[in-house]
Amino acid sequence: MKSSDDTLMYQEAHAAADVIAHQLDANAGLLSALGERLRARPPRCIVTCARGSSDHAAAYAKYVFETRLGVVTASASPSVSSIYDAPLDLQDTLFVAVSQSGKSPDLLRSAEAARAAGAQVLALVNVEDSPLARMADTVVPLRAGPERSVAATKSYLATLSAVLQLAACWSGEESLHAALDRLPGDLRQGWDMDWRPLGEGLRTVHNLFVVGRGYGFGAALEAALKFKETCGLHAEAFSAAEVRHGPMALVGEGFPVLVLAQEDGTLENTLDLAAEFRARGARVWVAAPGVSGPDALPMPAGVPAITTPLVAVQSFYRAASGLSLARGYDPDVPPHLRKVTETL
């Protein structure tokens, strides 16, 4: 039987800090030039297009682009082009296609339609000779290297770091460059955080909520997917601003909730929500910088809010690999799934 550190998921997630350190260095010139072009001729809006973990990265990108660039960012539905063949006005739009493999037919059709509609197509893609890369006007390589586990880990985190480096080079904001400079080290610290209490608490449960907000909402989506994918555990992700609108009715005695938070304007509200869950008798775990107590999952100190979700996900991946094995699954070969999902 595999041990936790024998899984490909463990090994590939562990490599994320080194992958990102290399990526940031290798892509610096490319993104600096792209940032100059985008400042000289900014798009009227940004449209992202992705599926699965890549779409969770796009959710993070929305908050980064809107808060740090002031550019409205929306998610495209690939079926609008691939199934309905509906034309869109994308003149002067930056169309950001996000994919590990760069092969899914619906994503390719969407990128092709976007370019025909006047958009500049930017591909964030791991496989540099993929059809998506060949189709794009500009390619930002994720540089995660081959990823053999079905569960995407290092490629997901590399997508988030690419998004952040793009925003830093576009905006010229020194705080973003500073956050990137320390990111590999923060990820290494995140890997060393002990989240085993989360795995122990979820070993026999059937359902849970994962809650985040703002920069952390994409991380909540990603964690919920990995719980389903690798652990056979039904998890739903909610924004801390939305979970009171109906889903709260399900939360009662013993109901498990994982709360992810970062130290920004969303923190107080998210921690208040965690307290409300506890008052209902829920089993709550909170991952947030500076938070202590019996249900706190450790986080490195001083991590910028905008990179906190990356560090939390890095800690989570290690815990999820162990939880998967403890529940009798193999995180590298989830049932009924393949590494590359080709959707029409």
Side-chain angles (χ1 to χ4, degrees), residues 167-199:
C169 291
W170 184 345
S171 68
E173 188 178 332
E174 284 303 319
S175 66
L176 295 183
H177 286 288
L180 286 166
D181 287 343
R182 58 174 292 169
L183 178 57
D186 287 339
L187 288 169
R188 293 185 183 101
Q189 287 190 66
W191 184 258
D192 291 335
M193 297 291 105
D194 185 4
W195 281 29
R196 282 178 297 179
L198 177 69

PDB file of all heavy atoms in Angstrom, residues 167-199:
ATOM      1  N   ALA A 167      -0.142  40.358 -13.609  1.00  0.00           N
ATOM      2  CA  ALA A 167      -0.695  41.560 -12.982  1.00  0.00           C
ATOM      3  C   ALA A 167       0.406  42.490 -12.495  1.00  0.00           C
ATOM      4  O   ALA A 167       0.301  43.720 -12.614  1.00  0.00           O
ATOM      5  CB  ALA A 167      -1.613  41.170 -11.833  1.00  0.00           C
ATOM      6  N   ALA A 168       1.483  41.920 -11.943  1.00  0.00           N
ATOM      7  CA  ALA A 168       2.585  42.743 -11.445  1.00  0.00           C
ATOM      8  C   ALA A 168       3.276  43.479 -12.582  1.00  0.00           C
ATOM      9  O   ALA A 168       3.579  44.677 -12.479  1.00  0.00           O
ATOM     10  CB  ALA A 168       3.588  41.863 -10.692  1.00  0.00           C
ATOM     11  N   CYS A 169       3.521  42.776 -13.683  1.00  0.00           N
ATOM     12  CA  CYS A 169       4.216  43.404 -14.819  1.00  0.00           C
ATOM     13  C   CYS A 169       3.326  44.402 -15.548  1.00  0.00           C
ATOM     14  O   CYS A 169       3.814  45.378 -16.126  1.00  0.00           O
ATOM     15  CB  CYS A 169       4.711  42.319 -15.774  1.00  0.00           C
ATOM     16  SG  CYS A 169       6.043  41.307 -15.101  1.00  0.00           S
ATOM     17  N   TRP A 170       2.041  44.163 -15.553  1.00  0.00           N
ATOM     18  CA  TRP A 170       1.089  45.068 -16.201  1.00  0.00           C
ATOM     19  C   TRP A 170       0.919  46.333 -15.368  1.00  0.00           C
ATOM     20  O   TRP A 170       0.963  47.451 -15.883  1.00  0.00           O
ATOM     21  CB  TRP A 170      -0.231  44.322 -16.381  1.00  0.00           C
ATOM     22  CG  TRP A 170      -1.322  45.048 -17.107  1.00  0.00           C
ATOM     23  CD1 TRP A 170      -1.420  46.382 -17.391  1.00  0.00           C
ATOM     24  CD2 TRP A 170      -2.512  44.450 -17.649  1.00  0.00           C
ATOM     25  NE1 TRP A 170      -2.599  46.652 -18.054  1.00  0.00           N
ATOM     26  CE2 TRP A 170      -3.282  45.476 -18.232  1.00  0.00           C
ATOM     27  CE3 TRP A 170      -3.002  43.139 -17.681  1.00  0.00           C
ATOM     28  CZ2 TRP A 170      -4.526  45.236 -18.834  1.00  0.00           C
ATOM     29  CZ3 TRP A 170      -4.228  42.899 -18.282  1.00  0.00           C
ATOM     30  CH2 TRP A 170      -4.970  43.941 -18.872  1.00  0.00           C
ATOM     31  N   SER A 171       0.728  46.163 -14.061  1.00  0.00           N
ATOM     32  CA  SER A 171       0.448  47.311 -13.189  1.00  0.00           C
ATOM     33  C   SER A 171       1.712  48.060 -12.777  1.00  0.00           C
ATOM     34  O   SER A 171       1.658  49.258 -12.475  1.00  0.00           O
ATOM     35  CB  SER A 171      -0.272  46.837 -11.925  1.00  0.00           C
ATOM     36  OG  SER A 171       0.592  46.049 -11.121  1.00  0.00           O
ATOM     37  N   GLY A 172       2.836  47.341 -12.725  1.00  0.00           N
ATOM     38  CA  GLY A 172       4.057  47.941 -12.191  1.00  0.00           C
ATOM     39  C   GLY A 172       4.030  48.108 -10.687  1.00  0.00           C
ATOM     40  O   GLY A 172       4.892  48.793 -10.113  1.00  0.00           O
ATOM     41  N   GLU A 173       3.083  47.473 -10.006  1.00  0.00           N
ATOM     42  CA  GLU A 173       2.906  47.637  -8.566  1.00  0.00           C
ATOM     43  C   GLU A 173       4.013  46.897  -7.804  1.00  0.00           C
ATOM     44  O   GLU A 173       4.135  45.669  -7.906  1.00  0.00           O
ATOM     45  CB  GLU A 173       1.528  47.115  -8.157  1.00  0.00           C
ATOM     46  CG  GLU A 173       1.158  47.401  -6.723  1.00  0.00           C
ATOM     47  CD  GLU A 173      -0.242  46.914  -6.387  1.00  0.00           C
ATOM     48  OE1 GLU A 173      -1.094  46.855  -7.286  1.00  0.00           O
ATOM     49  OE2 GLU A 173      -0.457  46.569  -5.211  1.00  0.00           O
ATOM     50  N   GLU A 174       4.778  47.617  -7.051  1.00  0.00           N
ATOM     51  CA  GLU A 174       5.930  47.028  -6.362  1.00  0.00           C
ATOM     52  C   GLU A 174       5.506  45.987  -5.333  1.00  0.00           C
ATOM     53  O   GLU A 174       6.212  45.004  -5.102  1.00  0.00           O
ATOM     54  CB  GLU A 174       6.766  48.114  -5.680  1.00  0.00           C
ATOM     55  CG  GLU A 174       7.623  48.899  -6.654  1.00  0.00           C
ATOM     56  CD  GLU A 174       8.566  48.012  -7.452  1.00  0.00           C
ATOM     57  OE1 GLU A 174       9.159  47.069  -6.880  1.00  0.00           O
ATOM     58  OE2 GLU A 174       8.698  48.227  -8.675  1.00  0.00           O
ATOM     59  N   SER A 175       4.361  46.187  -4.687  1.00  0.00           N
ATOM     60  CA  SER A 175       3.930  45.219  -3.674  1.00  0.00           C
ATOM     61  C   SER A 175       3.659  43.852  -4.287  1.00  0.00           C
ATOM     62  O   SER A 175       3.873  42.813  -3.644  1.00  0.00           O
ATOM     63  CB  SER A 175       2.683  45.725  -2.941  1.00  0.00           C
ATOM     64  OG  SER A 175       1.570  45.789  -3.820  1.00  0.00           O
ATOM     65  N   LEU A 176       3.193  43.826  -5.543  1.00  0.00           N
ATOM     66  CA  LEU A 176       2.972  42.549  -6.211  1.00  0.00           C
ATOM     67  C   LEU A 176       4.297  41.870  -6.533  1.00  0.00           C
ATOM     68  O   LEU A 176       4.446  40.657  -6.362  1.00  0.00           O
ATOM     69  CB  LEU A 176       2.147  42.743  -7.485  1.00  0.00           C
ATOM     70  CG  LEU A 176       0.717  43.226  -7.301  1.00  0.00           C
ATOM     71  CD1 LEU A 176       0.005  43.295  -8.654  1.00  0.00           C
ATOM     72  CD2 LEU A 176      -0.050  42.308  -6.354  1.00  0.00           C
ATOM     73  N   HIS A 177       5.258  42.647  -7.014  1.00  0.00           N
ATOM     74  CA  HIS A 177       6.582  42.072  -7.271  1.00  0.00           C
ATOM     75  C   HIS A 177       7.209  41.546  -5.971  1.00  0.00           C
ATOM     76  O   HIS A 177       7.846  40.482  -5.962  1.00  0.00           O
ATOM     77  CB  HIS A 177       7.494  43.107  -7.917  1.00  0.00           C
ATOM     78  CG  HIS A 177       7.179  43.379  -9.350  1.00  0.00           C
ATOM     79  ND1 HIS A 177       7.443  42.470 -10.353  1.00  0.00           N
ATOM     80  CD2 HIS A 177       6.615  44.459  -9.963  1.00  0.00           C
ATOM     81  CE1 HIS A 177       7.060  42.968 -11.519  1.00  0.00           C
ATOM     82  NE2 HIS A 177       6.552  44.169 -11.314  1.00  0.00           N
ATOM     83  N   ALA A 178       7.002  42.268  -4.870  1.00  0.00           N
ATOM     84  CA  ALA A 178       7.542  41.820  -3.583  1.00  0.00           C
ATOM     85  C   ALA A 178       6.879  40.523  -3.134  1.00  0.00           C
ATOM     86  O   ALA A 178       7.549  39.619  -2.599  1.00  0.00           O
ATOM     87  CB  ALA A 178       7.344  42.908  -2.527  1.00  0.00           C
ATOM     88  N   ALA A 179       5.568  40.416  -3.355  1.00  0.00           N
ATOM     89  CA  ALA A 179       4.853  39.182  -2.997  1.00  0.00           C
ATOM     90  C   ALA A 179       5.364  38.007  -3.814  1.00  0.00           C
ATOM     91  O   ALA A 179       5.504  36.881  -3.305  1.00  0.00           O
ATOM     92  CB  ALA A 179       3.354  39.367  -3.206  1.00  0.00           C
ATOM     93  N   LEU A 180       5.673  38.248  -5.094  1.00  0.00           N
ATOM     94  CA  LEU A 180       6.215  37.193  -5.955  1.00  0.00           C
ATOM     95  C   LEU A 180       7.619  36.788  -5.513  1.00  0.00           C
ATOM     96  O   LEU A 180       7.967  35.600  -5.536  1.00  0.00           O
ATOM     97  CB  LEU A 180       6.242  37.657  -7.407  1.00  0.00           C
ATOM     98  CG  LEU A 180       4.898  37.710  -8.121  1.00  0.00           C
ATOM     99  CD1 LEU A 180       5.020  38.513  -9.411  1.00  0.00           C
ATOM    100  CD2 LEU A 180       4.380  36.316  -8.414  1.00  0.00           C
ATOM    101  N   ASP A 181       8.431  37.755  -5.118  1.00  0.00           N
ATOM    102  CA  ASP A 181       9.798  37.454  -4.706  1.00  0.00           C
ATOM    103  C   ASP A 181       9.826  36.472  -3.536  1.00  0.00           C
ATOM    104  O   ASP A 181      10.704  35.603  -3.468  1.00  0.00           O
ATOM    105  CB  ASP A 181      10.537  38.739  -4.313  1.00  0.00           C
ATOM    106  CG  ASP A 181      10.887  39.605  -5.517  1.00  0.00           C
ATOM    107  OD1 ASP A 181      10.855  39.096  -6.658  1.00  0.00           O
ATOM    108  OD2 ASP A 181      11.176  40.808  -5.308  1.00  0.00           O
ATOM    109  N   ARG A 182       8.874  36.604  -2.632  1.00  0.00           N
ATOM    110  CA  ARG A 182       8.881  35.750  -1.445  1.00  0.00           C
ATOM    111  C   ARG A 182       8.010  34.499  -1.614  1.00  0.00           C
ATOM    112  O   ARG A 182       7.991  33.645  -0.725  1.00  0.00           O
ATOM    113  CB  ARG A 182       8.428  36.536  -0.225  1.00  0.00           C
ATOM    114  CG  ARG A 182       7.050  37.156  -0.320  1.00  0.00           C
ATOM    115  CD  ARG A 182       6.628  37.801   0.992  1.00  0.00           C
ATOM    116  NE  ARG A 182       6.413  36.799   2.020  1.00  0.00           N
ATOM    117  CZ  ARG A 182       6.239  37.086   3.312  1.00  0.00           C
ATOM    118  NH1 ARG A 182       6.268  38.342   3.713  1.00  0.00           N
ATOM    119  NH2 ARG A 182       6.034  36.115   4.196  1.00  0.00           N
ATOM    120  N   LEU A 183       7.297  34.403  -2.730  1.00  0.00           N
ATOM    121  CA  LEU A 183       6.324  33.321  -2.888  1.00  0.00           C
ATOM    122  C   LEU A 183       6.935  31.926  -2.796  1.00  0.00           C
ATOM    123  O   LEU A 183       6.395  31.071  -2.077  1.00  0.00           O
ATOM    124  CB  LEU A 183       5.559  33.499  -4.204  1.00  0.00           C
ATOM    125  CG  LEU A 183       4.528  32.416  -4.535  1.00  0.00           C
ATOM    126  CD1 LEU A 183       3.488  32.276  -3.426  1.00  0.00           C
ATOM    127  CD2 LEU A 183       3.856  32.721  -5.871  1.00  0.00           C
ATOM    128  N   PRO A 184       8.035  31.603  -3.495  1.00  0.00           N
ATOM    129  CA  PRO A 184       8.569  30.236  -3.352  1.00  0.00           C
ATOM    130  C   PRO A 184       8.884  29.861  -1.905  1.00  0.00           C
ATOM    131  O   PRO A 184       8.587  28.749  -1.462  1.00  0.00           O
ATOM    132  CB  PRO A 184       9.819  30.266  -4.236  1.00  0.00           C
ATOM    133  CG  PRO A 184       9.514  31.300  -5.279  1.00  0.00           C
ATOM    134  CD  PRO A 184       8.767  32.371  -4.532  1.00  0.00           C
ATOM    135  N   GLY A 185       9.471  30.805  -1.169  1.00  0.00           N
ATOM    136  CA  GLY A 185       9.760  30.542   0.239  1.00  0.00           C
ATOM    137  C   GLY A 185       8.499  30.356   1.057  1.00  0.00           C
ATOM    138  O   GLY A 185       8.435  29.480   1.943  1.00  0.00           O
ATOM    139  N   ASP A 186       7.483  31.163   0.787  1.00  0.00           N
ATOM    140  CA  ASP A 186       6.212  31.015   1.506  1.00  0.00           C
ATOM    141  C   ASP A 186       5.575  29.663   1.206  1.00  0.00           C
ATOM    142  O   ASP A 186       4.978  29.033   2.092  1.00  0.00           O
ATOM    143  CB  ASP A 186       5.261  32.151   1.128  1.00  0.00           C
ATOM    144  CG  ASP A 186       5.655  33.489   1.727  1.00  0.00           C
ATOM    145  OD1 ASP A 186       6.395  33.491   2.737  1.00  0.00           O
ATOM    146  OD2 ASP A 186       5.248  34.530   1.181  1.00  0.00           O
ATOM    147  N   LEU A 187       5.670  29.216  -0.044  1.00  0.00           N
ATOM    148  CA  LEU A 187       5.116  27.908  -0.398  1.00  0.00           C
ATOM    149  C   LEU A 187       5.851  26.778   0.328  1.00  0.00           C
ATOM    150  O   LEU A 187       5.226  25.798   0.761  1.00  0.00           O
ATOM    151  CB  LEU A 187       5.184  27.699  -1.905  1.00  0.00           C
ATOM    152  CG  LEU A 187       4.202  28.523  -2.738  1.00  0.00           C
ATOM    153  CD1 LEU A 187       4.548  28.420  -4.216  1.00  0.00           C
ATOM    154  CD2 LEU A 187       2.759  28.080  -2.505  1.00  0.00           C
ATOM    155  N   ARG A 188       7.151  26.906   0.459  1.00  0.00           N
ATOM    156  CA  ARG A 188       7.906  25.876   1.191  1.00  0.00           C
ATOM    157  C   ARG A 188       7.474  25.840   2.654  1.00  0.00           C
ATOM    158  O   ARG A 188       7.347  24.764   3.252  1.00  0.00           O
ATOM    159  CB  ARG A 188       9.408  26.134   1.065  1.00  0.00           C
ATOM    160  CG  ARG A 188       9.931  25.950  -0.363  1.00  0.00           C
ATOM    161  CD  ARG A 188      11.444  26.101  -0.452  1.00  0.00           C
ATOM    162  NE  ARG A 188      11.863  25.986  -1.850  1.00  0.00           N
ATOM    163  CZ  ARG A 188      12.162  26.996  -2.649  1.00  0.00           C
ATOM    164  NH1 ARG A 188      12.112  28.252  -2.167  1.00  0.00           N
ATOM    165  NH2 ARG A 188      12.513  26.797  -3.907  1.00  0.00           N
ATOM    166  N   GLN A 189       7.248  27.016   3.235  1.00  0.00           N
ATOM    167  CA  GLN A 189       6.738  27.036   4.604  1.00  0.00           C
ATOM    168  C   GLN A 189       5.344  26.423   4.679  1.00  0.00           C
ATOM    169  O   GLN A 189       5.019  25.686   5.611  1.00  0.00           O
ATOM    170  CB  GLN A 189       6.687  28.469   5.123  1.00  0.00           C
ATOM    171  CG  GLN A 189       8.032  29.083   5.460  1.00  0.00           C
ATOM    172  CD  GLN A 189       7.856  30.396   6.196  1.00  0.00           C
ATOM    173  OE1 GLN A 189       7.350  30.421   7.327  1.00  0.00           O
ATOM    174  NE2 GLN A 189       8.244  31.478   5.556  1.00  0.00           N
ATOM    175  N   GLY A 190       4.513  26.730   3.678  1.00  0.00           N
ATOM    176  CA  GLY A 190       3.166  26.165   3.658  1.00  0.00           C
ATOM    177  C   GLY A 190       3.182  24.654   3.615  1.00  0.00           C
ATOM    178  O   GLY A 190       2.360  23.986   4.259  1.00  0.00           O
ATOM    179  N   TRP A 191       4.123  24.109   2.846  1.00  0.00           N
ATOM    180  CA  TRP A 191       4.221  22.649   2.761  1.00  0.00           C
ATOM    181  C   TRP A 191       4.523  22.023   4.116  1.00  0.00           C
ATOM    182  O   TRP A 191       4.079  20.907   4.427  1.00  0.00           O
ATOM    183  CB  TRP A 191       5.305  22.278   1.755  1.00  0.00           C
ATOM    184  CG  TRP A 191       5.407  20.801   1.530  1.00  0.00           C
ATOM    185  CD1 TRP A 191       6.334  19.947   2.049  1.00  0.00           C
ATOM    186  CD2 TRP A 191       4.530  19.996   0.733  1.00  0.00           C
ATOM    187  NE1 TRP A 191       6.094  18.668   1.624  1.00  0.00           N
ATOM    188  CE2 TRP A 191       4.989  18.669   0.812  1.00  0.00           C
ATOM    189  CE3 TRP A 191       3.404  20.281  -0.041  1.00  0.00           C
ATOM    190  CZ2 TRP A 191       4.357  17.621   0.144  1.00  0.00           C
ATOM    191  CZ3 TRP A 191       2.776  19.238  -0.710  1.00  0.00           C
ATOM    192  CH2 TRP A 191       3.248  17.924  -0.607  1.00  0.00           C
ATOM    193  N   ASP A 192       5.271  22.736   4.952  1.00  0.00           N
ATOM    194  CA  ASP A 192       5.676  22.202   6.252  1.00  0.00           C
ATOM    195  C   ASP A 192       4.620  22.388   7.335  1.00  0.00           C
ATOM    196  O   ASP A 192       4.802  21.894   8.456  1.00  0.00           O
ATOM    197  CB  ASP A 192       6.981  22.870   6.703  1.00  0.00           C
ATOM    198  CG  ASP A 192       8.166  22.453   5.845  1.00  0.00           C
ATOM    199  OD1 ASP A 192       8.110  21.360   5.252  1.00  0.00           O
ATOM    200  OD2 ASP A 192       9.141  23.231   5.775  1.00  0.00           O
ATOM    201  N   MET A 193       3.531  23.083   7.032  1.00  0.00           N
ATOM    202  CA  MET A 193       2.480  23.271   8.020  1.00  0.00           C
ATOM    203  C   MET A 193       1.740  21.945   8.268  1.00  0.00           C
ATOM    204  O   MET A 193       1.467  21.192   7.335  1.00  0.00           O
ATOM    205  CB  MET A 193       1.476  24.334   7.564  1.00  0.00           C
ATOM    206  CG  MET A 193       2.043  25.732   7.398  1.00  0.00           C
ATOM    207  SD  MET A 193       2.524  26.538   8.948  1.00  0.00           S
ATOM    208  CE  MET A 193       4.322  26.417   8.863  1.00  0.00           C
ATOM    209  N   ASP A 194       1.415  21.679   9.510  1.00  0.00           N
ATOM    210  CA  ASP A 194       0.789  20.408   9.888  1.00  0.00           C
ATOM    211  C   ASP A 194      -0.733  20.534   9.853  1.00  0.00           C
ATOM    212  O   ASP A 194      -1.351  21.047  10.782  1.00  0.00           O
ATOM    213  CB  ASP A 194       1.251  20.005  11.285  1.00  0.00           C
ATOM    214  CG  ASP A 194       0.726  18.628  11.694  1.00  0.00           C
ATOM    215  OD1 ASP A 194       0.069  17.963  10.858  1.00  0.00           O
ATOM    216  OD2 ASP A 194       0.969  18.218  12.843  1.00  0.00           O
ATOM    217  N   TRP A 195      -1.317  20.048   8.756  1.00  0.00           N
ATOM    218  CA  TRP A 195      -2.774  20.048   8.622  1.00  0.00           C
ATOM    219  C   TRP A 195      -3.362  18.660   8.868  1.00  0.00           C
ATOM    220  O   TRP A 195      -4.491  18.374   8.451  1.00  0.00           O
ATOM    221  CB  TRP A 195      -3.162  20.541   7.230  1.00  0.00           C
ATOM    222  CG  TRP A 195      -3.103  22.030   7.064  1.00  0.00           C
ATOM    223  CD1 TRP A 195      -2.295  22.907   7.710  1.00  0.00           C
ATOM    224  CD2 TRP A 195      -3.906  22.820   6.185  1.00  0.00           C
ATOM    225  NE1 TRP A 195      -2.529  24.193   7.291  1.00  0.00           N
ATOM    226  CE2 TRP A 195      -3.519  24.167   6.340  1.00  0.00           C
ATOM    227  CE3 TRP A 195      -4.907  22.523   5.258  1.00  0.00           C
ATOM    228  CZ2 TRP A 195      -4.097  25.213   5.621  1.00  0.00           C
ATOM    229  CZ3 TRP A 195      -5.486  23.555   4.540  1.00  0.00           C
ATOM    230  CH2 TRP A 195      -5.099  24.892   4.724  1.00  0.00           C
ATOM    231  N   ARG A 196      -2.616  17.789   9.550  1.00  0.00           N
ATOM    232  CA  ARG A 196      -3.143  16.443   9.796  1.00  0.00           C
ATOM    233  C   ARG A 196      -4.459  16.435  10.571  1.00  0.00           C
ATOM    234  O   ARG A 196      -5.297  15.548  10.332  1.00  0.00           O
ATOM    235  CB  ARG A 196      -2.094  15.599  10.516  1.00  0.00           C
ATOM    236  CG  ARG A 196      -0.997  15.086   9.595  1.00  0.00           C
ATOM    237  CD  ARG A 196       0.048  14.299  10.358  1.00  0.00           C
ATOM    238  NE  ARG A 196       0.727  15.139  11.345  1.00  0.00           N
ATOM    239  CZ  ARG A 196       1.678  14.696  12.171  1.00  0.00           C
ATOM    240  NH1 ARG A 196       2.051  13.428  12.122  1.00  0.00           N
ATOM    241  NH2 ARG A 196       2.261  15.523  13.028  1.00  0.00           N
ATOM    242  N   PRO A 197      -4.709  17.379  11.486  1.00  0.00           N
ATOM    243  CA  PRO A 197      -6.012  17.363  12.167  1.00  0.00           C
ATOM    244  C   PRO A 197      -7.191  17.457  11.199  1.00  0.00           C
ATOM    245  O   PRO A 197      -8.259  16.888  11.464  1.00  0.00           O
ATOM    246  CB  PRO A 197      -5.945  18.590  13.084  1.00  0.00           C
ATOM    247  CG  PRO A 197      -4.482  18.743  13.377  1.00  0.00           C
ATOM    248  CD  PRO A 197      -3.788  18.374  12.098  1.00  0.00           C
ATOM    249  N   LEU A 198      -7.016  18.133  10.072  1.00  0.00           N
ATOM    250  CA  LEU A 198      -8.084  18.192   9.079  1.00  0.00           C
ATOM    251  C   LEU A 198      -8.353  16.807   8.519  1.00  0.00           C
ATOM    252  O   LEU A 198      -9.511  16.368   8.430  1.00  0.00           O
ATOM    253  CB  LEU A 198      -7.701  19.156   7.959  1.00  0.00           C
ATOM    254  CG  LEU A 198      -8.696  19.259   6.799  1.00  0.00           C
ATOM    255  CD1 LEU A 198      -9.986  19.933   7.253  1.00  0.00           C
ATOM    256  CD2 LEU A 198      -8.078  20.039   5.622  1.00  0.00           C
ATOM    257  N   GLY A 199      -7.293  16.094   8.132  1.00  0.00           N
ATOM    258  CA  GLY A 199      -7.465  14.747   7.600  1.00  0.00           C
ATOM    259  C   GLY A 199      -8.076  13.800   8.610  1.00  0.00           C
ATOM    260  O   GLY A 199      -8.950  12.985   8.270  1.00  0.00           O
TER     261      GLY A 199
END
